[in-house]
């Protein structure tokens, strides 16, 4: 049963620390999305990649967030330095030409 | 630009009641339309989709019809169950799959 795998599932850190979230997309998928979900803002698209190239990262605060795809099996989202307002659930999703997105279970981030 | 507007929640229904969650969209061209469902503690998962006007997507007793004349894609189910309690998201992707838009989500609680 193919699925998107995100690690860690939960992360608690202190303000100012670097946070790295990882995502393994479904094998063969050529698009990867990063979303942030909060009660106040709902689901926000942060960035997305096609064939490992960033297509849109306009939703991402550039000063502290960065997203990369070192290879086709790994996508990373980094926050440095982290702030309490970054506390949220971060989802990765992957897809192919069908435009359907398959979501991971998310990383719940708490920045104290 | 393209966008999706869905009915505000939360919605509370008794078991076996009829469900409608409204969704309207704004788009140029011929978008694909989706309903995703998010169960507590999980990522979003595709519930159903429609790729062209008058298509009806259906899954697990849920249905939605792509209505170009009213730019709508309302989600319906004839008899809800407690297990349908979740958050439902309407979504749109453009023709070439470069842009994706999610609604704000509608929380549904079904009580026995």
């Amino acid at each position: 049963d193919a699925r998107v795998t995100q690690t860690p599932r939960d992360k608690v850190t202190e303000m100012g620390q670097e946070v790295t979230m990882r995502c393994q997309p479904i094998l063969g998928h050529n698009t990867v999305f990063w979303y942030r979900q909060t009660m106040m803002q709902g689901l926000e698209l942060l960035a997305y990649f096609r064939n490992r190239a960033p297509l849109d990262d306009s939703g991402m605060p550039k000063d502290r967030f960065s997203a990369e795809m070192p290879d086709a099996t790994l996508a990373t989202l980094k926050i440095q330095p982290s702030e309490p307002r970054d506390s949220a659930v971060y989802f990765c999703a992957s897809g192919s030409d069908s435009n359907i997105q398959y979501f991971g279970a998310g990383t719940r981030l708490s920045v104290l | 630009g393209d966008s999706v507007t869905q009915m505000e929640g939360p919605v509370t229904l008794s078991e076996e009641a009829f469900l409608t969650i409204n969704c309207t969209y704004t788009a140029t061209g011929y978008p694909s339309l989706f309903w995703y469902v998010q169960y507590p503690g999980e990522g979003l998962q595709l519930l159903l989709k429609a790729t062209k006007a008058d298509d009806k997507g259906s899954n697990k007793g849920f249905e939605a019809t792509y209505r170009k004349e009213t730019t709508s894609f309302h989600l319906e189910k004839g008899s809800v169950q407690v297990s349908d309690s979740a958050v439902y998201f309407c979504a749109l992707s453009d023709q070439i799959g470069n842009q994706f838009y999610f609604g704000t989500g509608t929380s549904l609680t079904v009580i026995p």
Side-chain angles (χ1 to χ4, degrees):
Chain A
D1 184 25
R3 61 183 65 190
V4 174
T5 303
Q6 289 187 246
T7 56
R9 283 300 311 271
D10 291 278
K11 176 72 176 178
V12 180
T13 191
E14 293 186 349
M15 184 173 62
Q17 296 298 306
E18 177 178 300
V19 174
T20 298
M21 290 169 270
R22 293 178 174 79
C23 168
Q24 181 177 357
I26 293 173
L27 190 64
H29 282 186
N30 62 350
T31 55
V32 172
F33 307 82
W34 283 105
Y35 292 91
R36 176 171 63 186
Q37 187 177 41
T38 61
M39 290 293 291
M40 293 299 293
Q41 300 296 328
L43 195 66
E44 302 173 274
L45 177 66
L46 297 175
Y48 89 94
F49 295 77
R50 175 162 288 161
N51 298 321
R52 295 177 56 202
L55 281 195
D56 185 356
D57 62 0
S58 59
M60 199 166 64
K62 301 293 189 303
D63 56 338
R64 299 183 300 108
F65 284 59
S66 62
E68 295 179 346
M69 279 202 74
D71 60 61
T73 65
L74 176 64
T76 62
L77 179 67
K78 291 186 181 180
I79 309 174
Q80 168 62 17
S82 58
E83 297 181 1
R85 59 181 168 151
D86 301 329
S87 298
V89 181
Y90 290 82
F91 288 105
C92 173
S94 71
S96 60
D97 295 335
S98 68
N99 290 348
I100 298 171
Q101 296 185 35
Y102 296 82
F103 282 73
T107 293
R108 182 176 299 274
L109 174 65
S110 297
V111 183
L112 307 177
Chain B
D2 294 3
S3 66
V4 170
T5 302
Q6 69 178 97
M7 175 176 147
E8 296 267 338
V11 174
T12 302
L13 294 174
S14 297
E15 205 164 22
E16 298 184 5
F18 184 85
L19 169 71
T20 300
I21 300 178
N22 291 337
C23 172
T24 56
Y25 68 90
T26 302
T28 54
Y30 304 95
S32 295
L33 301 173
F34 308 84
W35 277 101
Y36 283 80
V37 59
Q38 184 180 28
Y39 298 104
E42 299 182 12
L44 283 70
Q45 55 185 274
L46 180 69
L47 180 59
L48 52 84
K49 69 169 185 173
T51 57
K52 61 183 188 298
D54 300 325
D55 265 3
K56 177 186 283 188
S58 61
N59 186 24
K60 299 180 181 179
F62 291 89
E63 293 183 340
T65 301
Y66 189 147
R67 301 274 189 212
K68 193 165 176 62
E69 64 275 13
T70 55
T71 61
S72 65
F73 193 56
H74 304 322
L75 181 68
E76 296 182 336
K77 186 174 185 181
S79 175
V80 293
Q81 305 301 311
V82 172
S83 57
D84 294 327
S85 298
V87 181
Y88 292 82
F89 292 86
C90 186
L92 170 159
S93 74
D94 68 4
Q95 270 182 276
I96 55 176
N98 276 345
Q99 296 294 333
F100 298 86
Y101 304 90
F102 281 85
T104 52
T106 300
S107 174
L108 170 67
T109 301
V110 180
I111 54 177

